[in-house]
Structure formats: C-alpha cells, structure tokens
C-alpha cells in the first residue's frame, strides 16, 4: 500500500500514467528473474474521483505477484548471512533467527512503491512545467552504451555483479525552492538524502561536485550574465553547480549524480558465517540482478520528484491546482523584474 499526502485537488491522475513509470523501473539491461514475474500496477484506492484528485490522501495498492511462489515453498529460513546486505545488522538489531525477516524488507522491491508515489509527484510537477529524466553515465569502467552492456555480460559470466553512475535531471524548476536559512530544508541536502536512501547507493553529488577538486574557483562557479528578455534578465553560462545555490534552486536545471554499488548477492557467493553455528559457509544466494543502474535512474527520478513536489507545495501551497497555479504564476511574474531592479 502506498499513501501520498499533500496533493492538491483537481490534479488529473490515471493508473496508466503510474503504470508507465512502474514499467520503466522493471526494464533495463542486467535485471534478474524477478522482473519477469512481476508486472507492476498501482491500483488507486482512495483520493481520486472521476480521474481527479480530491485533496485527500491518495492510496494505491501494488500487488506482489511473487506471493504464490512463496506459498509453494520458497519461504525457507536463511541463516547464511550475506555481506553487503541488511542481513547481519537486521538480525542482530531485531533479534531475528531468520535472516529472511530483514532480507525481504530491505529488498529493492520496496522501490516499486517509491516509483508509484514519485509518479504522482511528477504529475503534479508537470502541471507547472517541471519535467524529470535520467540516464546511466557509466557501468563498471565504461561510459559507452555497447561497452556498458559488455560490462554487464562480463560480470554475469563471472558470476559477479557490477555498479554504475546515474544522473537525474529536473528541467523547468523555478528559482527559490528550498531554503538558505534552514539547514534541514536546503534543497541540495534534501535531494542528497533522498537519493542516498535508494538501496545500494553509496555516493551522491549535486552538479559536478565530484569534479571540483582539480578546478579553481573561477573555473567552477556558474557566471551570471545579462540577457534582454524582460521576463528573465539574467542567464548562466554553465550549470556546474547543478541548479542549486545556498540551498535553493537557482533556476537552472537540477542535476544530481549518484553511484550505485555492485550488488552484494553473487552467483559465486562470498565467504561468510552461519547465523546459527558461527561456522564458515558461503553466503546465501537466490535470484538476483547483475546490475541495477538502469532501474536506479527511474527510482532516482521518483525520489527527486518527491523532494521537489514537497518543496514546491511548501513554497506555493494551495488546496486545489487552480489555487496553486495562481500562487505560482504570481511569484513567477515577480521574480524576473525583482532580480533586475533590486
Ligand atoms: C533497483 C534495485 C535492484 C536491486 N536488486 C538487487 C538484487 O537483485 N540483489 C541484491 O543483492 N541486491 C539488490 N539491490 C541492492 C540491495 O537492495 C541493497 O544493496 C541492500 O538492501 C543493502 O543496502 P545497502 O547496499 O544500501 O547497504 C538492488 C537495488 C536496487 C536499487
């Protein structure tokens, strides 16, 4: 069950739109067997009437089609702890004698719920001209599409896994979302937290953050230059900061990158210990992806959309889309001239 709160009334929302994004999460070179089992669909249960949101919480149900396989015997106890997973800390923290209790909840299966919620946020943002997309920048040591696929094939053949770098971009973001006065509302910090929360993500950068160490200050800042457009009397030569300054959006596209690690469940399992006996064993293996960078991009879009939608509604408020639009348009009509004359 997915519950999304804070969406104003009169947003057109249909299940097909959400299904489109859920489908994107399931595709991608390097995904494992589970994606053949599940064709995700979010059934809207509450908060929408005749295709339009009501302003009340939106409840969506995503069935787990894998459930029948569990009834037929896959539900066995696991004690051969896998390094790189929630297995060991989860068992210790909750006093579990069966690693499966934490293994399944920590699984990226939960990201289907994030993508469904993120699709609602994306739909809201689209009403205001904000669009998100993502792409894989590199897999393993390669940044060219064919070679990336070869990296996945090589890892699969070796019974191993491979990670990658993913970029998420939001275009059409208005200037001034977030805050420079509240550390917990800084938009770059919120985006980083949201992306870091994706399973297996180990590093996040905003804009070209990872590349700045070999540059001087003059080479990194996004120089502001005048233009003659009365609605927007300034422009940027570059977008190295990735669309944020001082914890606020700067009016240029938001760009964030993240590294997703090579996943920890290996066909050739790593050495480990048994939870019951403490004896050396090979870590548990079951159905697993080889590379999850492509779906991680879709999940990254969802997470960025959720953060942006929150910041957007915090700034513009409103109980219905027309009210939010009035607030938004009023603000947009003033920011250009204000910047110019202040
Ligand atoms: C889309 C996606 C699919 C994933 N699929 C798998 C998988 O098939 N096997 C696996 O071991 N880990 C997979 N992971 C990663 C684990 O969920 C993650 O490594 C684990 O929960 C431990 O969290 P941590 O790596 O953030 O410490 C996947 C992650 C994502 C984002």
């Amino acid at each position: 069950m997915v519950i999304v709160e804070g969406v104003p009334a009169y947003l057109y929302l249909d299940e097909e739109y959400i299904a489109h994004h859920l489908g994107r999460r399931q595709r991608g070179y390097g995904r494992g067997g589970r994606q053949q089992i599940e064709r995700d669909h979010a059934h809207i249960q509450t908060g929408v009437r005749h295709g339009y949101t009501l302003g009340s919480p939106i409840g969506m149900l995503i069935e787990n089609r894998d459930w029948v396989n569990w009834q037929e015997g896959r539900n066995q106890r696991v004690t051969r702890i896998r390094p790189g997973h929630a297995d060991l800390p989860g068992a210790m923290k909750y006093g579990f004698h069966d690693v499966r209790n934490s293994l399944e909840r920590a699984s990226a299966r939960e990201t289907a719920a994030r993508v469904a919620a993120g699709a609602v946020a994306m739909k809201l943002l689209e009403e205001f001209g904000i669009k998100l997309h993502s792409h894989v920048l590199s897999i393993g040591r390669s940044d060219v599409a064919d070679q990336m696929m070869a990296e996945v094939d090589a890892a699969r053949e070796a019974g191993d896994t491979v990670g990658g770098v993913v970029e998420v971009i939001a275009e059409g973001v208005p200037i001034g979302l977030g805050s420079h006065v509240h550390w917990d509302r800084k938009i770059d910090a919120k985006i980083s937290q949201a992306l870091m929360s994706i399973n297996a993500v180990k590093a996040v950068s905003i804009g070209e953050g990872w590349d700045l160490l070999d540059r001087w200050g003059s080479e990194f800042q996004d120089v502001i230059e005048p233009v003659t457009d009365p609605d927007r009397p300034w422009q940027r030569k570059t977008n190295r900061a990735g669309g944020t300054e001082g914890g606020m959006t700067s009016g240029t596209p938001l760009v964030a990158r993240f590294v997703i690690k090579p996943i920890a469940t290996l066909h050739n399992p790593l050495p480990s210990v048994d939870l019951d006996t403490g004896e050396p064993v090979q870590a548990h293996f079951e159905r697993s992806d080889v590379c999850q960078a492509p779906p991680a991009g879709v999940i990254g879009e969802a997470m960025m959309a959720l953060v942006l939608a929150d910041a957007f509604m915090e700034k513009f408020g409103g109980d219905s889309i027309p009210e939010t639009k009035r607030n938004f348009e009023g603000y947009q009509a003033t920011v250009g001239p204000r910047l110019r004359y202040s």
Side-chain angles (χ1 to χ4, degrees):
M1 189 73 182
V2 190
I3 299 170
V4 184
E5 290 204 55
V7 178
Y10 289 112
L11 177 72
Y12 181 75
L13 188 65
D14 63 16
E15 291 183 359
E16 288 318 306
Y17 180 87
I18 300 163
H20 165 71
H21 290 289
L22 287 172
R24 290 176 62 225
R25 189 194 77 95
Q26 296 191 279
R27 291 192 287 270
Y29 207 70
R31 299 231 70 187
R34 183 165 201 155
Q35 304 315 315
Q36 270 86 58
I37 300 168
E38 301 173 43
R39 282 282 165 269
D40 286 331
H41 192 93
H43 301 273
I44 298 175
Q45 310 278 301
T46 66
V48 177
R49 184 160 187 252
H50 299 317
Y52 288 91
T53 56
L54 297 168
S56 47
I58 299 164
M60 296 176 284
L61 192 69
I62 305 174
E63 271 175 53
N64 189 356
R65 303 225 168 106
D66 200 14
W67 177 243
V68 282
N69 300 329
W70 288 81
Q71 305 293 72
E72 287 159 15
R74 271 202 58 221
N75 202 353
Q76 291 138 0
R77 191 164 162 249
V78 176
T79 56
R80 287 177 291 129
I81 311 159
R82 298 165 310 163
H85 271 279
D87 298 13
L88 181 57
M92 294 298 121
K93 180 173 160 68
Y94 290 94
F96 292 146
H97 299 289
D98 182 357
V99 165
R100 198 173 283 292
N101 289 347
S102 34
L103 178 164
E104 293 300 334
R105 184 57 186 85
S107 155
R109 175 70 188 136
E110 59 105 327
T111 59
R114 301 193 199 201
V115 170
V120 177
M122 274 186 212
K123 193 76 180 53
L124 174 70
L125 295 170
E126 278 174 17
E127 283 288 319
F128 300 91
I130 303 168
K131 292 218 157 149
L132 287 100
H133 54 101
S134 64
H135 50 251
V136 176
L137 289 180
S138 59
I139 287 180
R141 290 169 199 85
S142 302
D143 55 8
V144 177
D146 288 352
Q147 285 165 24
M148 286 195 232
M149 292 202 267
E151 288 269 349
V152 175
D153 293 340
R156 185 184 285 113
E157 272 161 38
D160 218 314
T161 60
V162 64
V165 180
V166 176
E167 186 168 80
V168 183
I169 301 167
E171 315 231 24
V173 182
I175 194 166
L177 298 187
S179 171
H180 68 296
V181 296
H182 308 95
W183 63 265
D184 56 335
R185 288 182 225 167
K186 290 193 171 217
I187 199 81
D188 45 353
K190 285 193 146 189
I191 290 168
S192 303
Q193 195 276 338
L195 294 177
M196 185 62 96
S197 79
I198 300 170
N199 317 45
V201 169
K202 294 297 154 202
V204 178
S205 95
I206 303 294
E208 296 176 19
W210 284 325
D211 308 326
L212 58 76
L213 280 180
D214 60 356
R215 302 210 201 139
W216 285 15
S218 57
E219 295 170 312
F220 189 75
Q221 318 311 325
D222 298 313
V223 168
I224 305 170
E225 55 184 17
V227 285
T228 50
D229 179 351
D231 293 331
R232 205 174 63 104
W234 45 267
Q235 66 183 23
R236 302 290 181 140
K237 276 192 162 160
T238 53
N239 189 27
R240 295 177 186 130
T244 77
E245 282 174 330
M248 296 167 288
T249 53
S250 63
T252 55
L254 261 179
V255 184
R257 292 177 189 170
F258 60 85
V259 176
I260 190 144
K261 77 177 186 185
I263 52 180
T265 308
L266 306 177
H267 261 279
N268 289 334
L270 292 168
S272 183
V273 293
D274 187 276
L275 187 63
D276 284 344
T277 64
E279 293 297 317
V281 287
Q282 284 202 318
H284 175 71
F285 174 81
E286 67 188 30
R287 193 180 53 205
S288 190
D289 299 337
V290 175
C291 176
Q292 73 307 60
V298 180
I299 302 160
E301 290 172 29
M303 296 314 292
M304 193 189 266
L306 286 166
V307 170
L308 279 181
D310 252 354
F312 192 92
M313 290 310 295
E314 186 176 283
K315 174 132 185 67
F316 300 112
D319 292 309
S320 66
I321 292 288
E323 186 183 357
T324 309
K325 273 201 173 144
R326 284 197 298 277
N327 300 343
F328 174 67
E329 281 159 13
Y331 171 76
Q332 288 292 75
T334 60
V335 280
R338 195 188 301 153
L339 273 178
R340 175 185 260 173
Y341 298 119
S342 62

